[in-house]
Amino acid sequence: MMDFVNQILFAAGLLFLVSILATVITPRLGVPLLFVFIIIGMIAGEDGPGNIHFADFRLTNLAGTAALAVILFDGGMRTSFKTFRVGLGPALSLATVGVLITMLVVGWLSSVVLDLPLAQGMLLGAIVSSTDAAAVFSLLSNRTVSLNSRVTSVLEIESGTNDPMAVFLTLGVIAYLQSPDTFTAQQFLFLLVEHMGIGGVLGLAGGWLLARALNRLQLNESLYPVFALFSCFLLFGLTALLGGSGFLAVYLAGLLVGNRKVRALASIRRFHDGIAWMAQIGMFLILGLLVSPHKLLTIALPALLIGLVLILAARPLAVVISLLPFRFPWREQAFISWVGLRGSVPIVLATFPWIAGIENAGLIFNIAFFIVLVSLLLQGWSVPLAAQMLKLYIPRTGARVKRLEVDLPGQSGYEIVSYKLPVDSSHIGRRPKELPIRDHSRIIAVTRSGHLLSYREWGVLQAGDFVSLLVAETDLERLDTVFKAKRQRADAAASRQFFGEFEISLEAAAKDLAESYGVKLPESTAEFNVGQLVLKFLPRPVVGDRLRLGHIELVVRRMEGGELREIGVRLPRE
């Protein structure tokens, strides 16, 4: 017995350490990290040198569900209300209408290609209909991808809210397959309202209660993150027992907790970041162990065809129809279509037919697994390239290099932030006390040439200095502007090409701009200034938005507190 326990601990430690070390190497190679986790699991499995025989679908379902609960709770905590408001409507449309359209297209194709009954084809379509929160959150946190806040928020919120719809559709089709003669459309609609309604109500109520409890309870500092973790599991389980969506509940609870002044929030976020990483690694390793690679070869061609149709036809069609009321630029629609990554969710959902005893459950599982591999390999590595090709990659102009949340006694919402002064900074030669920062922000350290300077050694600021400040989270956006790099030299061309050759005053007369460059404006905007002109056609702008006026473009350079602050003029290219 002890030998078995020791072997399990050794195997778990080895697999996790290899996966963690892979996070250092794979980004440099451009290989999707979650794909690597699955491959490591497959190598350790029955067809690989690890020769671990694992075929427990119930345990996989339990581990995958628990991991997804943690990942969604953590993702909710890291989604700000500001970005939530920007992308809520489009994301909800994608999470409902988009998921349904994807299921219908893939389900019909699967029934034809695999010669399955239509209901079983729809089951496969439901299983692969949602994007994966773990894959999307991991991808968008990658430093190589910098997108405007509207696209980022839509993708994050969609991936956090479309899992409940996919789970509901999967369970609904399984219920029909189990009782095709008695299951009615009315039952299906009732289940939908129950699933989403209970999940939404309990998620909001649970998040509010958790935030209140964290502020009122006097716990050991180390117990606050643990309390939040098991509150997440409690909320998920209670919601599911009552017939609601536990996935939706924990995401909404995380959203509420992460956007309130909560005691020990910084510790909770750091703890859950680590737990979410562990959940991702563990989930993908188990899923890799579960599959038998030799069985994938027999279904490779039909699975590849279904996967390509999902990526190249079903997902784009779902995006176009879902975003039709929101008038998204075609480039953003194309990018959102391409970032519809499939990950752990379809594989976890593919265990449901096994547990329910549905016919062809093995075939459905293997097809879903193969589609996930195709999605991660084809889409995962190419996201930065797609952003650049579609001209959605926003050059980074910030000088911020470090951000750390801190818990102050009796206060919350403060961070320690560090900036590196570029060679072209206007602050070089100034004393730190002369920096244009507000009274409630404090400079706490200056580091020069790898050495932490004492207060008496600060002198005047030099290029390459790291300035660290204690700041309120609400002041962070303004400080980013204060320390903004001008990006001369290597990044200058990319920055000018994207944001325009020069800045124009928001108060400048729009008709003067039009006359200077020989463009025509609508008569209704003849008396507008440039700021009013932009807001007329871009009512909810984000950084990177463009307004074309004849052969020139006005580009949103900076927003602060939801208000337009800087506009660039992009001249025609030869």
Side-chain angles (χ1 to χ4, degrees), residues 114 292-304 362-363 366-367 370:
L114 301 174
S292 300
H294 70 273
K295 294 180 181 178
L296 297 181
L297 296 177
T298 61
I299 50 91
L301 288 179
L304 179 61
L363 174 64
N366 288 330
I367 294 286
F370 196 95

Side-chain angles (χ1 to χ4, degrees), residues 73-93:
F73 184 74
D74 180 69
M77 282 198 297
R78 298 181 186 281
T79 303
S80 72
F81 276 146
K82 182 174 67 175
T83 58
F84 196 79
R85 287 192 295 267
V86 169
L88 179 59
L92 288 183
S93 182

Side-chain angles (χ1 to χ4, degrees), residues 139 174 443:
L139 191 67
I174 288 175
I443 298 175

